[in-house]
Amino acid sequence: VVRQLPDQHYNIVTSGTNIATELSQRSKCNVTLIGGQVNGNTLSCSGPQAESFLDGVNIDIAIMATSGYSLNNGFTSGSFYERQLKRKVIEKARVVIMLMDLSKIDHSMPYTFAALPDINVLISDAPLPREIQDEAERHNVTLRCGET
């Protein structure tokens, strides 16, 4: 998603070190990296200092990714700290966009951070199974799915 953003004036707050690095190459973006414990798998920062930092941040649009999703467990993460941070972002955001590739479906991690009613838009790389489409529609979630 970051590579698709035009080089315009944005104030971007991210926990992703890789995202901050990519955006720092642009001349017009103002990028703030949230501090905290770095997860080597996701290259993101989380933990109490990251959550505390968000207390003073107003979030217009949150673009998030999930490690797993199932209808029973919702959107999940493998880290408790990441779960806490994502939950806080969702609570503060005006609009929540969730990114999910099909490999995440029916793959549940230990910590649930959101359910379909918590998000506004779900973007996937291919059409989602009918039962997920139906559930998203029931909760007024906009779907944007790529072609297989």
Side-chain angles (χ1 to χ4, degrees):
V1 170
V2 169
R3 291 184 184 115
Q4 302 302 316
L5 286 175
D7 189 13
Q8 295 180 353
H9 294 284
Y10 297 108
N11 287 312
I12 297 175
V13 176
T14 182
S15 63
T17 59
N18 54 337
I19 294 169
T21 301
E22 178 83 23
L23 289 170
S24 69
Q25 304 304 310
R26 299 181 183 200
S27 62
K28 296 180 182 176
C29 289
N30 180 10
V31 182
T32 301
L33 179 62
I34 296 173
Q37 180 180 0
V38 177
N39 179 317
N41 293 325
T42 62
L43 297 177
S44 64
C45 301
S46 59
Q49 35 194 143
E51 286 181 62
S52 179
F53 175 83
L54 286 181
D55 286 338
V57 176
N58 300 312
I59 302 172
D60 188 32
I61 300 171
I63 301 173
M64 310 179 81
T66 186
S67 297
Y69 176 78
S70 71
L71 286 173
N72 289 335
N73 296 321
F75 299 99
T76 59
S77 170
S79 162
F80 178 76
Y81 283 147
E82 284 186 24
R83 180 257 183 230
Q84 294 294 92
L85 185 64
K86 288 181 178 193
R87 190 70 231 145
K88 185 161 206 155
V89 168
I90 288 168
E91 291 168 1
K92 295 194 68 134
R94 185 181 58 81
V95 174
V96 177
I97 299 171
M98 187 67 65
L99 308 176
M100 178 179 72
D101 63 68
L102 289 186
S103 71
K104 306 301 192 253
I105 294 174
D106 291 329
H107 180 78
S108 290
M109 301 299 283
Y111 306 101
T112 297
F113 65 88
L116 279 171
D118 298 320
I119 69 169
N120 304 98
V121 179
L122 177 58
I123 299 175
S124 69
D125 58 337
L128 296 167
R130 172 55 49 200
E131 60 271 13
I132 295 174
Q133 291 180 38
D134 291 345
E135 191 69 9
E137 185 176 307
R138 193 165 79 78
H139 294 289
N140 298 313
V141 175
T142 301
L143 295 177
R144 297 285 183 249
C145 303
E147 295 300 318
T148 55

